[in-house]
Amino acid sequence: MRWFSIVAIAVVVSLVGCSSPDDVPAISSTESRAESPDRVQRVRDDIDAAVASGVSGVIATLTENGETTTLAAGVGDRATGVPIPAEPPQQVRVGSVSKSFIAAIVLQLVTEGRIQLDEPIDTYLPGSIVGDSVDGRVITVRQILQHRSGLPEFADSPEIDEYGAALDGRTFTPDDQLAIALRRPAQFAPGARFTYTNTNYLLAAMLVERITGRPYTDALQDRIIRPLGLTGTYLPATGEHDIRGPHPRGYAPINGIRTDVTRIEPSVPWAAGALVSTGDDLNRYFLDLVAGKVVAAPELQQMLAALPTGVDGMPEYGLGVMSAELSCGTSYMAILTRALCP
């Protein structure tokens, strides 16, 4: 089975008041020796099309046979109109890609015999998951990693606003987030179906902390970031609103107005979505992951054993990763913006 890694991140999205294509700078790119020029061109065409459609900027990092190519299109700051540079590697908030890192650490702990996937979460976090039709004694660790727990979604609550929290100086603890989630009833009985829910990975990171006896950031650093040499990857601390390294600005519509939302409060998404990384680092991580350098083979097989989600347009979901197989036999992880056959 062949894996080809492309990480493409639409880093500066403008859905309101978009410029015309003529107002957006042409693609800026750097290229190392590429094994598949046609594939690189197709990705280049894709990101140019994204910018033409109104996305302010895109960075795409392609790695194949040990060679990496970085492409960039559009602007990294709408105020200045400066194009996104392809080099040095740009740091961006990678959102729910963060969940794969949590799942990998949990599976490392499974390998070590410290967690069992089919054990109830209450075994490890006793008495913590109790609410309206919510009972941690009948929700397994595997169901949490698969988004099949039925737990309510903390991110549905109005106070969960990472941009607004940064403006107001509000912060959250994982216990705060869990309490917010448990105000709501369960979405369904454990195992009944798939529903993507951030609360699952909030709990998974809390599980890592309980088992290791250390902050999640320490486990992340010691188990993945440092061993793999991911020099551009980190989980921001509570109150750390800015991105540390070179980065583009990020925009989103708020009340119909395109707003710079680059600065956020990272304790809101926390481990489930606040990770900062680069395309280079993410490609290294995912290629090392499927090569068995992050998670041991038996647990990696379970991680990649994806089930149908029952959601139109959504690939199958394993443990912290989506995946699918193309008609040409190439497998890909669905965090990738485009999967290309050789």
Side-chain angles (χ1 to χ4, degrees):
M1 183 176 291
R2 185 181 183 193
W3 292 86
F4 173 69
S5 187
I6 307 173
V7 173
I9 307 167
V11 291
V12 192
V13 180
S14 300
L15 301 179
V16 180
C18 297
S19 302
S20 69
D22 291 340
D23 295 331
V24 179
I27 185 170
S28 162
S29 70
T30 60
E31 299 184 17
S32 61
R33 182 171 59 85
E35 298 295 330
S36 305
D38 178 63
R39 189 176 359 243
V40 172
Q41 185 59 50
R42 281 185 281 165
V43 174
R44 181 193 295 277
D45 292 343
D46 278 351
I47 66 175
D48 280 340
V51 170
S53 73
V55 173
S56 294
V58 182
I59 302 169
T61 305
L62 302 81
T63 302
E64 183 180 17
N65 298 328
E67 297 290 339
T68 294
T69 300
T70 300
L71 307 174
V75 299
D77 187 331
R78 294 192 68 89
T80 64
V82 174
I84 299 178
E87 296 293 341
Q90 300 291 294
Q91 289 184 323
V92 295
R93 303 188 190 279
V94 300
S96 281
V97 174
S98 309
K99 293 177 173 64
S100 171
F101 287 70
I102 301 173
I105 295 172
V106 170
L107 289 168
Q108 289 177 355
L109 294 168
V110 170
T111 300
E112 296 166 15
R114 301 168 74 180
I115 294 174
Q116 295 183 32
L117 286 174
D118 295 312
E119 189 72 14
I121 187 65
D122 188 79
T123 301
Y124 308 106
L125 298 169
S128 299
I129 303 94
V130 179
D132 184 354
S133 302
V134 175
D135 185 349
R137 295 172 298 178
V138 295
I139 300 170
T140 67
V141 174
R142 187 188 302 274
Q143 288 167 340
I144 286 171
L145 297 181
Q146 289 177 326
H147 290 296
R148 295 176 183 270
S149 69
L151 286 166
E153 172 63 272
F154 77 82
D156 287 342
S157 299
E159 63 262 54
I160 302 302
D161 176 356
E162 59 194 21
Y163 173 70
L167 291 177
D168 299 339
R170 291 181 288 118
T171 63
F172 295 82
T173 67
D175 286 335
D176 293 335
Q177 307 277 42
L178 182 58
I180 289 170
L182 293 176
R183 293 176 194 164
R184 298 169 178 261
Q187 300 185 74
F188 50 84
R193 64 177 189 267
F194 171 96
T195 296
Y196 195 95
T197 305
N198 288 285
T199 308
N200 289 314
Y201 278 79
L202 169 75
L203 274 175
M206 294 174 72
L207 171 62
V208 169
E209 292 195 327
R210 178 64 61 88
I211 297 301
T212 63
R214 306 176 66 199
Y216 174 73
T217 50
D218 289 353
L220 178 66
Q221 186 72 30
D222 293 346
R223 289 175 172 270
I224 296 181
I225 292 175
R226 188 176 295 115
L228 299 187
L230 308 183
T231 57
T233 302
Y234 68 97
L235 184 65
T238 297
E240 186 178 357
H241 299 155
D242 295 302
I243 297 175
R244 297 174 189 174
H247 63 276
R249 311 299 296 176
Y251 301 87
I254 297 179
N255 298 324
I257 300 172
R258 184 178 60 239
T259 305
D260 185 336
V261 294
T262 309
R263 302 182 80 248
I264 68 160
E265 173 46 55
S267 66
V268 175
W270 189 47
L275 196 73
V276 172
S277 191
T278 66
D280 298 64
D281 275 7
L282 291 183
N283 278 3
R284 183 178 303 114
Y285 166 69
F286 282 106
L287 289 171
D288 282 352
L289 178 67
V290 298
K293 298 178 182 178
V294 180
V295 174
E299 286 67 47
L300 178 62
Q301 185 176 15
Q302 296 191 68
M303 187 179 195
L304 299 179
L307 298 174
T309 63
V311 179
D312 289 344
M314 180 176 284
E316 297 182 341
Y317 201 90
L319 305 179
V321 294
M322 296 179 185
S323 63
E325 186 167 331
L326 304 181
S327 59
C328 56
T330 296
S331 293
Y332 76 100
M333 290 184 182
I335 61 153
L336 310 182
T337 299
R338 179 167 180 183
L340 303 170
C341 291

